[in-house]
C-alpha cells in the first residue's frame, strides 16, 4: 500500500514538518520505496515535484524538505507499487485540467476488476489502476457538470459519491483538490488533524524532529493535515471510518 499526505490551510503555509516525516516512510521507516510526489497550489497554478526513487534517498525530496514552499492546498504521496512498473509516469500525484483549473489526485490502495472503467475524454499516461480511476472520475464529473458550477462543494460531494463506486472494486483511499477544496475519502486508513490557536509542540514519529507551532504561526492560522497514518505521537488525530469523506476549505472541515 501507498501513503497519502494532504494539507488545507487558511493562509499560505509550508508543509516541511509533515513532509519530513512522510519521506522517511519512503524506504526507511516504511516500505513505500517506489517513488514519491508532491503538488503545491499557488493561485490558479500548481507546482509538482516527482521522483521514482525512494523518498528517503531522493535528492529532489531533500530539496523540497529544505525549501519552505507556502501553499493553502497540498497533496503528496509515497508509492509502494502494485499495478504498473516503477517509473515517473506512474508516480502520484496526477493532475488534469477541468474548467480551466488544475485538479490533483492521489490514491492509496489497490483495485480489482477495474477494466470496465473506460474514460472517454481523459486518458491515462501510465498504466496504474490509480490513474485510470482518476480519469474515470473526472470523466463522470465532466459529464454531470459540463460547465463549472457556482457551488464547487457540490462537485466534491459528487466525487465522494463516485468514490463509493470505486471502493466496491477494492481499497480506495483518495485525496482530491482544485487548490481551494481538499477532499479526503477513506476506505480503510486515513486520519486528519486541525491545528489552531492555542498552538503547541508536536513530535514526528518517523524522524527526530520537534516543532513549536506557536512560534511558527499567528493566532488566526488554521491548518488541517491529512495522512494515511498519524505523523506525530503527541497530538490527537481523527481517524476516518470506512466510506467516510471529509471536505476541507481554508483549513476548516465543511
Amino acid at each position: 500500500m501507498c501513503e497519502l499526505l494532504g494539507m488545507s490551510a487558511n493562509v499560505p503555509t509550508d508543509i516541511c514538518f509533515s513532509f519530513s516525516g512522510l519521506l522517511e516512510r519512503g524506504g526507511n521507516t516504511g516500505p513505500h520505496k517506489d517513488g514519491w510526489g508532491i503538488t503545491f497550489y499557488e493561485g490558479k497554478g500548481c507546482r509538482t515535484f516527482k521522483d521514482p526513487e525512494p523518498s528517503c534517498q531522493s535528492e529532489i525530496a531533500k530539496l523540497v524538505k529544505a525549501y519552505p514552499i507556502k501553499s493553502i492546498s497540498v497533496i503528496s504521496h509515497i508509492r509502494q507499487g502494485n499495478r504498473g512498473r516503477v517509473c515517473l509516469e506512474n508516480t502520484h500525484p496526477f493532475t488534469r485540467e477541468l474548467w480551466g483549473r488544475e485538479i490533483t489526485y492521489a490514491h492509496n490502495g489497490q483495485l480489482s476488476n477495474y477494466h470496465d472503467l473506460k474514460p472517454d475524454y481523459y486518458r491515462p499516461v501510465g498504466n496504474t489502476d490509480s490513474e485510470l480511476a482518476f480519469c474515470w472520475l473526472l470523466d463522470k464529473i465532466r459529464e454531470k457538470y459540463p460547465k463549472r458550477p457556482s457551488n464547487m462543494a457540490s462537485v466534491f460531494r459528487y466525487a465522494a459519491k463516485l468514490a463509493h463506486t470505486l471502493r466496491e472494486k477494492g481499497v480506495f483511499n483518495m485525496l482530491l483538490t482544485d487548490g481551494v477544496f481538499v477532499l479526503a475519502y477513506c476506505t480503510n486508513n486515513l486520519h486528519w488533524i486541525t491545528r489552531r490557536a492555542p498552538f503547541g509542540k508536536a513530535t514526528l514519529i518517523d524522524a527526530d524532529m520537534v516543532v513549536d507551532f506557536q512560534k511558527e504561526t499567528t493566532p488566526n492560522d488554521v491548518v488541517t493535515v491529512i495522512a494515511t497514518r498519524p505523523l506525530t505521537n503527541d497530538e490527537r488525530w481523527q481517524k476516518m471510518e470506512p466510506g467516510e469523506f471529509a471536505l476541507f476549505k481554508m483549513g476548516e472541515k465543511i
Side-chain angles (χ1 to χ4, degrees), residues 227-242:
T228 298
R229 294 182 291 129
L231 292 163
T232 57
N233 58 18
D234 46 7
E235 296 181 293
R236 182 175 294 179
W237 290 71
Q238 305 293 321
K239 180 175 174 57
M240 297 179 66
E241 298 297 323

Side-chain angles (χ1 to χ4, degrees), residues 98-247:
L98 177 65
W99 311 311
R101 297 285 302 192
E102 301 278 9
I103 310 295
T104 299
Y105 151 106
H107 165 231
N108 159 31
Q110 184 174 351
L111 304 180
S112 301
N113 302 318
Y114 57 87
H115 297 291
D116 61 333
L117 302 176
K118 298 184 183 297
D120 293 321
Y121 185 82
Y122 294 97
R123 301 296 177 88
V125 176
N127 58 347
T128 63
D129 54 340
S130 301
E131 189 184 14
L132 178 64
F134 178 41
C135 291
W136 175 84
L137 187 147
L138 284 186
D139 253 28
K140 292 296 182 182
I141 292 174
R142 190 171 180 267
E143 181 180 307
K144 182 175 177 63
Y145 301 98
K147 296 182 179 180
R148 184 184 182 198
S150 57
N151 180 12
M152 279 297 294
S154 65
V155 174
F156 285 90
R157 293 189 181 100
Y158 180 59
K161 183 178 179 180
L162 295 171
H164 289 316
T165 300
L166 293 168
R167 177 180 167 227
E168 294 173 358
K169 298 180 179 294
V171 178
F172 191 76
N173 302 297
M174 174 188 72
L175 294 178
L176 183 75
T177 185
D178 65 344
V180 178
F181 292 89
V182 177
L183 172 68
Y185 181 89
C186 177
T187 289
N188 65 349
N189 205 5
L190 206 55
H191 299 74
W192 61 272
I193 185 170
T194 298
R195 299 180 179 122
R196 65 176 79 241
F199 292 97
K201 294 182 179 180
T203 307
L204 287 178
I205 294 171
D206 300 271
D208 185 14
M209 191 172 178
V210 181
V211 67
D212 185 349
F213 288 113
Q214 188 172 359
K215 296 179 180 179
E216 306 292 333
T217 57
T218 74
N220 297 322
D221 291 3
V222 180
V223 181
T224 292
V225 176
I226 308 144
T228 298
R229 294 182 291 129
L231 292 163
T232 57
N233 58 18
D234 46 7
E235 296 181 293
R236 182 175 294 179
W237 290 71
Q238 305 293 321
K239 180 175 174 57
M240 297 179 66
E241 298 297 323
E244 180 185 355
F245 75 91
L247 184 60

